[in-house]
Amino acid sequence: MLKFRTVHGGLRLLGIRRTSTAPAASPNVRRLEYKPIKKVMVANRGEIAIRVFRACTELGIRTVAIYSEQDTGQMHRQKADEAYLIGRGLAPVQAYLHIPDIIKVAKENNVDAVHPGYGFLSERADFAQACQDAGVRFIGPSPEVVRKMGDKVEARAIAIAAGVPVVPGTDAPITSLHEAHEFSNTYGFPIIFKAAYGGGGRGMRVVHSYEELEENYTRAYSEALAAFGNGALFVEKFIEKPRHIEVQILGDQYGNILHLYERDCSIQRRHQKVVEIAPAAHLDPQLRTRLTSDSVKLAKQVGYENAGTVEFLVDRHGKHYFIEVNSRLQVEHTVTEEITDVDLVHAQIHVAEGRSLPDLGLRQENIRINGCAIQCRVTTEDPARSFQPDTGRIEVFRSGEGMGIRLDNASAFQGAIISPHYDSLLVKVIAHGKDHPTAATKMSRALAEFRVRGVKARHQAQPGRPHGQEAGRPEAAVAAPTGPGSPSLVCVLPLACVPSSRLGGPSQTRPETSIEVSPTILL
């Protein structure tokens, strides 16, 4: 019998005794059997797999990794207690999408629960159902909720039923270019095509005129079909220059739902998030209340369990519009953990065991914002080639660390092979401080400390600098291209994240503003 203690004033998850049954949250709710989880498999790779393994180890839970033939040397395989090959003979990505292999490994090795991470199968209702059918718990929402939230058209209808404002758009996926013409005639341009059964920027195209309509419809359909196996699209009125604000929610099997405040994810490139900030800077308190209240209302409407994120667009007039629910852990969950002191992966596991949020000490009145956190994604991309992913072997790796800095990574070490087969994320850098300027200062300092060099590296001095002379460290961006065929690090800090004292002027307050990164060698 294991017992875990509370930390940090009780805002971290309360310790529990790993016994056979758990008390209900209150006399008025149904009693569910508490089934302790003893072994967890992560149906994913890279840094998110390691993140979950660490949480499991802290809870005394044995861990299982899966890996493709191309990932035999990856760190997530080494970090788990057990590791098994899947997808033999399949393409690199397809290996992690092969549900029969994953379920087979889980059953043959007495896995109690599967954590999907993010990406891959994390928002596939058929995977959640396959786990359930195999008697393995899925650490996430129920298959039905995953299905509803994964269908953006149905999620939109649920939001409307819950009284949550939505962007004007089609009620169902369109089936022809003619329907797109009719929508644009009604609402005018710009409009945006979105994949009905996926996200992450794929199948998303903005159209500004009739002349662009047919080409963008065709491209959006092709992208959605290739990425999600379904080319269905829906159309929305495009909100120009919005803020992208998302709210972290957490629910249990007893109907308890709470929020852990918001994150500002407005800084994006090609519809992909680059920098995330929690809480959102200069957000009107009344707007914050509306965003969090609507998120909880939507979650209750669908009977949401476990962790999830409700995403909104906020226009220049302060009006917010629901766009989607991500029924999984987000890449940027880290900043929420830093400002609330709640370990979201611990919470996910405990909820899957049958614990209630009140049992874990998680009540809305206890959730407080503590300071500010910023996350920057350092990726192996080459800014000299329009930020195309780069590959190779890392010969030199020195990271930025110190007080207030958290690093979540998997392949960020000397000798690591950067694979061309998967996402280019190398390390997530999270800075936490007492306020926004403090967190920004820590982030700027940490990024400037990074040094990465690849096997084919050759020095590329800035124009006007002698060859081999170290370039000045940029105030709000770091870029470290290391030569043809070798990894190049890129990370952008928004102007809003840089203290005014370092910019030589008034504080910047527009979170969607960012600094252009030029190829600058930092070695």
Side-chain angles (χ1 to χ4, degrees):
M1 185 182 297
L2 301 176
K3 184 177 180 181
F4 304 95
R5 299 180 181 278
T6 61
V7 295
H8 295 303
L11 287 182
R12 183 74 71 176
L13 297 177
L14 287 181
I16 61 172
R17 291 184 180 273
R18 305 183 68 78
T19 53
S20 58
T21 58
S26 73
N28 299 321
V29 298
R30 59 193 176 109
R31 291 181 177 272
L32 299 177
E33 184 181 3
Y34 167 54
K35 296 180 180 179
I37 293 174
K38 298 178 181 179
K39 183 185 284 192
V40 167
M41 181 174 77
V42 180
N44 216 298
R45 65 181 300 279
E47 69 86 16
I48 188 58
I50 293 175
R51 167 71 185 91
V52 177
F53 293 155
R54 286 171 171 161
C56 290
T57 300
E58 291 165 3
L59 296 176
I61 296 171
R62 192 165 178 83
T63 57
V64 178
I66 57 174
Y67 61 95
S68 67
E69 291 176 316
Q70 293 77 16
D71 267 351
T72 54
Q74 288 299 306
M75 186 59 70
H76 78 279
R77 178 188 175 190
Q78 315 301 325
K79 290 286 187 180
D81 296 313
E82 304 171 26
Y84 301 96
L85 175 67
I86 58 164
R88 192 182 299 274
L90 295 178
V93 172
Q94 290 303 312
Y96 290 100
L97 298 176
H98 197 253
I99 295 175
D101 257 18
I102 295 172
I103 296 299
K104 180 182 178 183
V105 169
K107 292 179 68 175
E108 288 180 350
N109 295 282
N110 300 312
V111 168
D112 297 314
V114 171
H115 194 296
Y118 54 72
F120 291 126
L121 296 168
S122 61
E123 293 181 276
R124 287 270 297 271
D126 55 341
F127 180 55
Q129 187 65 56
C131 290
Q132 190 176 93
D133 294 343
V136 178
R137 274 169 280 180
F138 179 78
I139 301 178
S142 68
E144 181 63 12
V145 170
V146 174
R147 184 193 65 77
K148 289 179 178 179
M149 295 297 96
D151 181 340
K152 288 184 172 57
V153 175
E154 185 164 358
R156 174 188 171 86
I158 292 169
I160 293 172
V164 178
V166 299
V167 178
T170 54
D171 294 328
I174 62 174
T175 57
S176 68
L177 181 63
H178 176 70
E179 291 180 77
H181 266 288
E182 289 185 339
F183 182 86
S184 58
N185 287 336
T186 303
Y187 294 99
F189 291 100
I191 63 172
I192 184 169
F193 291 117
K194 290 184 177 180
Y197 298 102
R202 297 177 179 88
M204 188 179 292
R205 291 277 171 170
V206 179
V207 184
H208 294 277
S209 67
Y210 285 110
E211 291 74 23
E212 300 175 2
L213 198 60
E214 183 174 357
E215 179 184 0
N216 282 284
Y217 172 81
T218 302
R219 288 189 176 183
Y221 179 88
S222 298
E223 289 175 5
L225 182 64
F228 312 114
N230 191 323
L233 303 171
F234 68 95
V235 190
E236 286 182 352
K237 178 68 178 174
F238 181 63
I239 308 297
E240 297 189 272
K241 295 183 178 179
R243 294 180 74 174
H244 186 137
I245 308 291
E246 61 186 31
V247 176
Q248 178 70 55
I249 56 170
L250 193 60
D252 63 19
Q253 300 172 29
Y254 303 86
N256 300 301
I257 306 277
L258 55 78
H259 70 80
L260 291 96
Y261 294 97
E262 82 286 348
R263 302 182 286 257
D264 192 327
C265 306
S266 302
I267 302 164
Q268 302 182 13
R269 187 180 74 246
R270 300 170 186 160
H271 303 296
Q272 297 285 337
K273 299 168 187 173
V274 177
V275 178
E276 298 93 2
I277 307 169
H282 308 286
L283 190 69
D284 180 84
Q286 293 183 348
L287 176 57
R288 173 175 286 122
T289 298
R290 292 196 297 271
L291 289 166
T292 54
S293 174
D294 280 351
S295 298
V296 171
K297 190 166 31 173
L298 177 58
K300 288 184 176 180
Q301 178 76 20
V302 76
Y304 201 93
E305 297 175 17
N306 219 277
T309 301
V310 185
E311 303 203 4
F312 298 91
L313 294 180
V314 178
D315 68 17
R316 64 188 69 185
H317 305 294
K319 294 182 179 179
H320 67 288
Y321 304 94
F322 166 79
I323 50 175
E324 65 180 351
V325 173
N326 288 310
S327 55
R328 55 172 169 79
L329 198 65
Q330 294 276 79
V331 180
E332 61 273 15
H333 74 278
T334 56
V335 290
T336 295
E337 291 181 327
E338 293 300 314
I339 67 164
T340 63
D341 205 25
V342 173
D343 188 313
L344 288 170
V345 182
H346 281 196
Q348 285 190 292
I349 294 169
H350 288 322
V351 167
E353 290 179 315
R355 304 294 297 187
S356 74
L357 297 182
D359 284 343
L360 302 172
L362 291 172
R363 295 178 171 84
Q364 192 64 69
E365 62 269 21
N366 294 339
I367 307 298
R368 295 285 184 270
I369 295 175
N370 175 30
C372 173
I374 302 169
Q375 174 176 283
C376 286
R377 307 185 189 193
V378 180
T379 62
T380 54
E381 298 175 358
D382 189 348
R385 295 191 298 118
S386 300
F387 298 97
Q388 291 299 309
D390 215 343
T391 60
R393 181 188 297 272
I394 296 178
E395 280 191 351
V396 175
F397 180 83
R398 297 204 301 274
S399 61
E401 301 173 4
M403 182 178 176
I405 298 296
R406 166 180 170 179
L407 303 176
D408 281 22
N409 65 77
S411 299
F413 58 91
Q414 184 175 343
I417 301 295
I418 305 303
S419 169
H421 303 298
Y422 303 104
D423 187 82
S424 61
L425 179 65
L426 183 68
V427 56
K428 300 188 309 194
V429 185
I430 304 97
H432 182 221
K434 64 179 181 179
D435 52 29
H436 193 259
T438 303
T441 300
K442 289 179 181 293
M443 177 64 78
S444 185
R445 184 268 306 162
L447 291 178
E449 289 180 7
F450 269 83
R451 299 291 184 273
V452 178
R453 188 170 184 174
V455 65
K456 295 181 180 179
R458 57 183 178 142
H459 288 270
Q460 299 174 352
Q462 282 183 304
R465 285 186 181 271
H467 181 77
Q469 179 178 335
E470 180 173 275
R473 298 179 183 180
E475 295 291 329
V478 57
T482 59
S486 57
S488 301
L489 293 191
V490 177
C491 195
V492 183
L493 260 179
L495 280 170
C497 294
V498 183
S500 58
S501 60
R502 301 193 70 181
L503 288 172
S507 176
Q508 305 292 322
T509 59
R510 290 179 58 80
E512 65 270 28
T513 305
S514 63
I515 286 181
E516 195 72 26
V517 181
S518 59
T520 303
I521 192 74
L522 290 183
L523 297 177

